[in-house]
Amino acid sequence: MQFSLNGRNIAAEPGETVLSVARKNGVFIPTLCHHDAVSPSGACRLCVVQVSSGERSRIVSSCLYAPSENDRVETDTERVRKVRRMVLELLLARCPTVELIRDLARAYGIQRSRFTDGAGPSEERCVLCGLCVRVCDEVVGRHAISHAKRGIQRKITTAFDTQADECIGCGACVRICPTGALHYEDLPEQKQPERVMVELHTRVPLVRCSDCGRAFASPALFEHVSKSVNVPPTTLAACPACRSKSFAATAAQNPPSAPAFARAHARTYQSQLLASINEESS
Amino acid sequence: MIKTPQELIAARDSVREHFFNGWTRIRVGMATCGLAGGAGKLFEAIREQNEKNNYGFFVAETGCNGACFLEPLVDVVLPGQGRITYANMKPSDIENLLLLTFGGRVYTKKAVARATSEHLLSDDTEIPYLQGVIQPDVQKVPPYSEAPFFKNQVRIALRNCGIIDPTSLDEYIAFGGYAGAAKALTQLQPEDVIDEIKRSGLRGRGGGGFPTGRKWEACRKANGAARFVICNADEGDPGAYMDRSIIEGDPHSIIEGMIIGAYAIGARIGYVYVREEYPLAVKRMRLAVQQAEAAGLLGENIFGSGFDFRIRISRGAGAFVCGEETGLIASIEGNAGTPRQRPPYPAQSGLWGMPTNINNVETWNNVPVIITRGAGWFSSIGTPSSKGTKVFSLVGKAKRVGLVEVPMGTSLREVVEQIGGGIQDGGEFKALQTGGPSGGCIPAAHLDCPVDYETLTSLGSMMGSGGMIVMDSRTCMVEMARYFLAFLKEESCGKCVPCREGTLRMLETLSAICEGRGRPEHLDLLKELSEAMADGSLCALGGSAPNPVRSTLHFFEEEYRAHIEERRCPARVCKALIEYQVVRESCTGCGACARVCPVKAAFGKKKAPHEINNGLCTRCGLCADACKFKAIKVA
Ligand SMILES: Cc1cc2nc3c(=O)[nH]c(=O)nc-3n(C[C@H](O)[C@H](O)[C@H](O)COP(=O)(O)O)c2cc1C
Ligand code: SF4
Ligand code: SF4
Ligand code: FES
């Protein structure tokens, strides 16, 4: 499959998106609602590109669009920049305090939004990219959070805005959030230590590390991880720091077989995610 | 049970004989519009008196014939005289109507049109009602071919609406129904059906105007373990009700269209997605599906062809965006009705990831007659690019409002002036808004343009699903754009940034202009925002949401400027920019204004000219309505 990307002829796998091909070929396209760990959604429209086939040319989101044979794709035309600039100006009006949005806007020459005159400062941080919902659904598999309401009232929340029993307090949503709209707070000193998912109306009990005694994860998370990577919950009773210490000690004495080692070291979803997020941003 | 085309013809002929055999039949228009006008009470009154007086009339309900300004409507088939349509009927008219009908006479006071025969479109036959000597009072009633409102119309989609009883499968069959399905399933190969639809030039009536035959072909050719067809009866445009009327008045026409389409495409299951707010349409559709199943017209081995097809009814969640095809599919699947980016189009990957063909109610309803009458007949109507007819809901300031069906290519002027009868109360025409909330406005200078997909688009408006709002000089174009943006902002699903945030900011900007806070730079901002929303939105809701602004800015920019630069609303609509003033010479000091003013802004001494305190005035306009001497004017 051949198409042209900014005038260069490029081969792509059928079904591969413009964004993915562009990244492989060192062409930068800004994104906000895209993350390799989850399926694309097309919500932010920052990644738009211009596609021409024959006489017609149109704007599509590159995170979703798989080019057809002989498409001419351009990633930085004036028409494309106009859409991106407006998207950023609109987001800046919504989330004026979010550093990421301010940086992106500045990169497109926008210092302030023309839409906010007279309005009080907005503390809104969520851009509704939906990454948190998708990571909880697709990666963690818990469906603890979702979009509620329509239009400008759309928001991220739990069912009926109350305690989500599906939530295991893994924090994947907090980590994937590009704007710092979600937080959790641990209360390790309580008699029953808890993790509070601040914006999500949810509290999850924490257990203490079997070695150092630090409250570090929920029983539900243990169960979830132990089931999905098939290791006994007891292996997980120690916090990651203590666990790697003890693994190192055991391994030094008695090197385990490769598969057993891999299984024992099976990364939690959190660390998988963290790794992928770090790769992205570096 | 109807298992063969021969049985269908036998059924048709026997009901036909019964239908035209000289019984006195009374039909009340009982679609939602008729019911809102009080048809339910009329129907009861007619039934009661019919029984009480032993008249022996055959009383039934029918759908809407489109003339909503004449509701409630009663049709009487008078033996020997034809079918007579009575308009604006009240319960107090019933006694006289029935008495005169019993004597074979006409209730002249309310008779508006008559038919001496019915043209059965499906098999192009003209069947006369029993003929006798036409009574002089009948002769005075104009025939349908001369009656204003009706005479300029050509009815294909509305062929049966307001004539047959929508709860009767027999009557649909008597009027040629299911002959198209019989022909397609027993005489044509699926490819032939697709070919016929392609050659007919039929294009989607749901908004996009995509060629129907090509869409069917793409779906048929797509790979998939199963295929589906869907009828889109979401109809979320405020003020538009052509789809509702077709379902309520002629539900079997949709089922028949879907049978033909499913056969052509290779689908065995179809869905009708009807909005929750249409309870009567849901009921009629449900009954029609049951009747078709009981008659063997749905189910296994239809017409002995070996083809199986079933229809399920799915109720919409009542959101405008659920009418968008990918949102609609998500909604049938039980998910939130949020659109997704196309491609892939539903024809490749639709319901449950399978190839799916989705068409509008009116599109499906056109299919059976194209099959019976042929592509050549259909394509002889209309313009080179737009074939057949289109139903519009004509509303607003026209004298005659309702559903009108005209051939493509009819001029807008003919629709507004001939059918609509021009502007109410001697007002002056200003613009025609077409295409629903995300359509555009067409000013008087372009009224001679023909209605077809391309022309409307080139004028910055669109065909949409067929909304048409007539506006007169008392309409403020900025306020009108604001009104539609307010609707679209509420209906945006909120998934993508340009639409969710853009409709909000566009509305805020328009409100600022209407409220006298407009600034010159707002015009460029609106233009820039329009462009980015049109280009950048994920689905066509956001993509077309700027249309009301773009088209009014294009044709009526001076009106925006008057609001911004002179703080003046030329149509005198925007409350912040108008003042109520007393014309001292005309004021008699009667005090009517002071009595009605809810905020005590109108005041004065008895018999002396009154005044209005504009600081207190809320611009409700009650004083101007109350003044008998026209002494209060808007400035
Ligand atoms: C916001 C939005 C609302 C829509 N609403 C409807 C509707 O109510 N009914 C309809 O038939 N099509 C509606 N459409 C168009 C559908 O997406 C689709 O194009 C149509 O059902 C296809 O049928 P057709 O080819 O017969 O026109 C809507 C589109 C958009 C973007
Ligand atoms: S909370 Fe964060 S991740 Fe979730 S939608 Fe909002 S911005 Fe995106
Ligand atoms: S354009 Fe509007 S309705 Fe369509 S996906 Fe975007 S937010 Fe939703
Ligand atoms: S990254 Fe493609 S739309 Fe957000």
Side-chain angles (χ1 to χ4, degrees):
Chain A
M1 229 278 316
Q2 289 274 329
F3 75 105
S4 104
L5 183 67
N6 294 344
R8 259 162 70 200
N9 260 337
I10 292 209
E13 301 293 318
E16 196 176 3
T17 64
V18 169
L19 179 64
S20 145
V21 178
R23 286 194 169 165
K24 280 188 202 157
N25 288 276
V27 173
F28 174 75
I29 297 175
T31 61
L32 192 55
C33 71
H34 180 268
H35 193 289
D36 283 338
V38 296
S39 62
S41 125
C44 75
R45 319 306 290 170
L46 202 58
C47 71
V48 289
V49 295
Q50 187 167 343
V51 179
S52 317
S53 50
E55 293 293 289
R56 283 190 21 190
S57 96
R58 59 201 176 108
I59 298 287
V60 300
S61 53
S62 63
C63 65
L64 279 159
Y65 184 78
S68 311
E69 190 79 40
N70 298 328
D71 273 355
R72 298 185 309 280
V73 178
E74 299 203 65
T75 62
D76 204 24
T77 61
E78 185 48 28
R79 202 171 150 196
V80 163
R81 294 178 70 86
K82 276 183 176 168
V83 174
R84 288 190 194 146
R85 272 202 294 267
M86 190 53 80
V87 162
L88 290 166
E89 187 169 353
L90 289 166
L91 285 177
L92 190 60
R94 176 187 176 94
C95 303
T97 58
V98 172
E99 215 44 53
L100 172 68
I101 299 300
R102 291 175 32 185
D103 289 348
L104 278 166
R106 222 171 292 130
Y108 277 84
I110 297 160
Q111 309 297 335
R112 52 169 284 273
S113 173
R114 287 168 290 175
F115 296 111
T116 38
D117 48 18
S122 159
E123 288 300 315
E124 181 62 68
R125 295 194 72 84
C126 175
V127 293
L128 292 168
C129 67
L131 283 172
C132 51
V133 174
R134 278 176 283 150
V135 83
C136 185
D137 251 22
E138 299 172 16
V139 181
V140 192
R142 301 299 297 186
H143 316 280
I145 47 177
S146 57
H147 298 279
K149 302 206 171 163
R150 273 212 300 266
I152 199 71
Q153 258 106 38
R154 188 172 167 96
K155 61 175 185 177
I156 305 298
T157 187
T158 54
F160 309 111
D161 294 338
T162 53
Q163 170 84 20
D165 293 335
E166 298 83 359
C167 177
I168 56 176
C170 71
C173 53
V174 174
R175 288 203 172 75
I176 203 170
C177 178
T179 62
L182 297 178
H183 308 84
Y184 64 72
E185 222 177 280
D186 284 353
L187 304 174
E189 307 309 332
Q190 290 186 162
K191 197 157 135 222
Q192 165 59 67
E194 274 182 323
R195 172 164 294 174
V196 182
M197 306 303 295
V198 180
E199 293 79 10
L200 300 175
H201 321 282
T202 296
R203 290 165 168 260
V204 181
L206 296 179
V207 291
R208 297 183 191 282
C209 168
S210 54
D211 292 1
C212 69
R214 186 171 67 92
F216 77 104
S218 71
L221 177 61
F222 284 167
E223 202 182 308
H224 188 73
V225 172
S226 99
K227 244 192 238 145
S228 41
V229 293
N230 200 18
V231 294
T234 45
T235 343
L236 301 163
C239 72
C242 297
R243 214 183 312 152
S244 37
K245 254 188 251 158
S246 81
F247 272 128
T250 335
Q253 286 170 9
N254 187 3
S257 67
F261 186 84
R263 197 159 8 107
H265 259 285
R267 293 184 298 177
T268 63
Y269 286 112
Q270 282 187 62
S271 55
Q272 265 181 33
L273 255 172
L274 254 184
S276 65
I277 292 170
N278 291 338
E279 273 159 32
E280 278 252 312
S281 44
S282 59
Chain B
M1 287 294 264
I2 297 172
K3 291 272 63 167
T4 61
Q6 292 72 29
E7 285 171 25
L8 180 75
I9 292 174
R12 181 192 76 184
D13 290 345
S14 86
V15 195
R16 249 181 211 182
E17 210 177 291
H18 179 74
F19 194 88
F20 293 95
N21 75 352
W23 273 63
T24 303
R25 266 192 303 105
I26 302 187
R27 308 233 134 162
V28 183
M30 301 262 277
T32 298
C33 46
L35 291 173
K41 276 212 184 95
L42 277 185
F43 187 68
E44 280 318 306
I46 294 174
R47 278 246 281 245
E48 208 176 288
Q49 296 197 25
N50 184 35
E51 229 156 82
K52 200 172 82 196
N53 300 317
N54 273 322
Y55 286 136
F57 302 146
F58 193 72
V59 183
E61 47 187 277
T62 183
C64 163
N65 77 358
C68 299
F69 68 109
L70 298 176
E71 300 274 11
L73 286 151
V74 174
D75 265 22
V76 172
V77 174
L78 209 55
Q81 307 294 313
R83 175 167 65 92
I84 295 159
T85 300
Y86 296 100
N88 302 125
M89 293 295 281
K90 299 208 172 57
S92 54
D93 292 317
I94 298 303
E95 199 176 330
N96 285 336
L97 170 76
L98 297 193
L99 211 63
L100 284 164
T101 301
F102 192 66
R105 305 286 304 279
V106 177
Y107 181 47
T108 340
K109 196 170 121 194
K110 300 247 166 146
V112 290
R114 71 183 157 99
T116 46
S117 62
E118 302 295 352
H119 178 230
L120 308 190
L121 190 75
S122 175
D123 37 38
D124 196 19
T125 37
E126 192 84 22
I127 302 197
Y129 286 105
L130 202 67
Q131 294 294 303
V133 181
I134 301 286
Q135 301 290 328
D137 51 355
V138 175
Q139 270 174 15
K140 276 191 232 131
V141 182
Y144 262 89
S145 58
E146 287 167 23
F149 190 76
F150 294 105
K151 69 175 178 197
N152 298 65
Q153 299 195 42
V154 172
R155 299 201 160 212
I156 297 177
L158 300 177
R159 55 192 178 274
N160 295 327
C161 284
I163 300 175
I164 67 166
D165 176 355
T167 64
S168 162
L169 169 62
D170 284 351
E171 287 190 11
Y172 180 68
I173 290 175
F175 274 61
Y178 287 106
K183 178 173 173 188
L185 269 53
T186 61
Q187 295 175 30
L188 302 175
Q189 292 303 310
E191 293 79 5
D192 302 335
V193 176
I194 290 177
D195 197 48
E196 194 75 19
I197 299 296
K198 273 166 86 175
R199 284 191 296 114
S200 76
L202 176 65
R203 294 168 65 175
R205 303 294 194 238
F210 195 82
T212 305
R214 267 174 51 203
K215 194 145 103 175
W216 289 14
E217 186 171 49
C219 188
R220 176 170 181 84
K221 286 188 175 158
N223 284 322
R227 290 186 170 68
F228 298 101
V229 292
I230 297 177
C231 170
N232 186 344
D234 192 55
E235 198 167 55
D237 294 20
Y241 53 101
M242 37 266 147
D243 294 347
R244 185 188 72 199
S245 239
I246 292 175
I247 302 178
E248 288 179 355
D250 196 13
H252 282 285
S253 67
I254 298 153
I255 299 178
E256 186 182 357
M258 290 177 77
I259 295 173
I260 297 167
Y263 170 74
I265 289 159
R268 308 177 82 202
I269 294 186
Y271 287 82
V272 179
Y273 185 87
V274 197
R275 63 179 3 222
E276 185 82 355
E277 288 89 337
Y278 284 180
L280 182 62
V282 172
K283 197 172 130 192
R284 292 270 158 86
M285 199 67 219
R286 214 166 252 153
L287 176 67
V289 168
Q290 282 164 6
Q291 289 171 338
E293 279 170 355
L297 297 165
L298 284 174
E300 277 164 28
N301 196 17
I302 303 170
F303 288 119
S305 63
F307 172 66
D308 308 338
F309 182 59
R310 287 198 162 73
I311 288 182
R312 295 186 187 144
I313 293 169
S314 187
R315 291 217 254 168
F320 180 55
V321 72
C322 288
E324 193 281 334
E325 55 191 26
T326 61
L328 186 149
I329 287 171
S331 177
I332 295 185
E333 289 170 346
N335 300 318
T338 313
R340 61 157 178 78
Q341 174 155 307
R342 304 172 307 172
Y345 290 91
Q348 272 80 47
S349 172
L351 195 59
W352 294 298
M354 297 296 157
T356 301
N357 179 75
I358 174 162
N359 279 122
N360 167 259
V361 168
E362 195 182 330
T363 315
W364 286 120
N365 148 297
N366 268 288
V367 167
V369 276
I370 294 176
I371 298 298
T372 56
R373 298 289 299 279
W377 163 77
F378 190 80
S379 62
S380 70
I381 305 163
T383 69
S385 72
S386 308
K387 299 299 185 189
T389 57
K390 177 78 191 87
V391 184
F392 294 96
S393 67
L394 185 67
V395 297
K397 295 290 167 63
K399 282 196 189 124
R400 296 188 283 263
V401 296
L403 289 186
V404 306
E405 182 172 356
V406 291
M408 299 277 190
T410 304
S411 77
L412 296 168
R413 186 180 302 285
E414 187 171 340
V415 176
V416 174
E417 293 177 2
Q418 254 90 63
I419 300 176
I423 305 294
Q424 294 168 4
D425 311 327
E428 190 192 333
F429 175 87
K430 182 170 184 179
L432 184 67
Q433 202 276 351
T434 76
S438 37
C441 288
I442 298 165
H446 294 283
L447 260 195
D448 288 311
C449 287
V451 268
D452 64 47
Y453 294 97
E454 280 69 27
T455 306
L456 291 179
T457 308
S458 74
L459 289 172
S461 186
M462 57 185 196
M463 184 77 86
S465 54
M468 260 192 194
I469 307 175
V470 179
M471 298 176 170
D472 68 4
S473 52
R474 289 160 288 185
T475 313
C476 168
M477 300 318 262
V478 188
E479 163 58 29
M480 192 224 57
R482 198 198 63 80
Y483 170 84
F484 285 121
L485 257 297
F487 172 83
L488 293 164
K489 178 207 143 223
E490 286 306 309
E491 296 299 327
S492 160
C493 83
K495 178 173 178 176
C496 74
V497 175
C499 173
R500 180 186 69 233
E501 308 290 329
T503 51
L504 169 76
R505 302 306 177 180
M506 194 171 251
L507 174 63
E508 285 178 355
T509 310
L510 292 168
S511 296
I513 298 175
C514 290
E515 289 162 14
R517 294 179 285 113
R519 290 199 311 269
E521 61 270 26
H522 279 158
L523 293 185
D524 280 339
L525 186 60
L526 284 174
K527 285 177 194 164
E528 261 180 66
L529 182 56
S530 297
E531 202 179 328
M533 285 166 69
D535 259 353
S537 294
L538 189 153
C539 85
L541 192 156
S544 58
N547 283 351
V549 174
R550 288 179 132 176
S551 84
T552 49
L553 260 178
H554 181 70
F555 290 119
F556 299 94
E557 183 167 335
E558 76 286 358
E559 210 165 316
Y560 280 80
R561 291 197 178 279
H563 282 73
I564 295 172
E565 290 158 15
E566 304 164 38
R567 298 278 184 253
R568 186 171 65 83
C569 173
R572 302 203 171 85
V573 171
C574 294
K575 288 189 175 173
L577 305 178
I578 55 169
E579 271 189 2
Y580 284 86
Q581 292 172 353
V582 178
V583 185
R584 292 180 66 86
E585 303 75 57
S586 314
C587 177
T588 63
C590 73
C593 52
R595 280 194 295 281
V596 296
C597 179
V599 292
K600 301 206 161 37
F603 64 98
K605 292 220 177 72
K606 257 221 143 40
K607 305 238 163 89
H610 278 47
E611 282 175 66
I612 291 170
N613 177 341
N614 269 294
L616 290 176
C617 173
T618 60
R619 280 90 177 152
C620 70
L622 284 176
C623 54
D625 295 341
C627 180
K628 289 199 198 82
F629 307 99
K630 296 207 163 61
I632 295 177
K633 65 165 199 203
V634 188

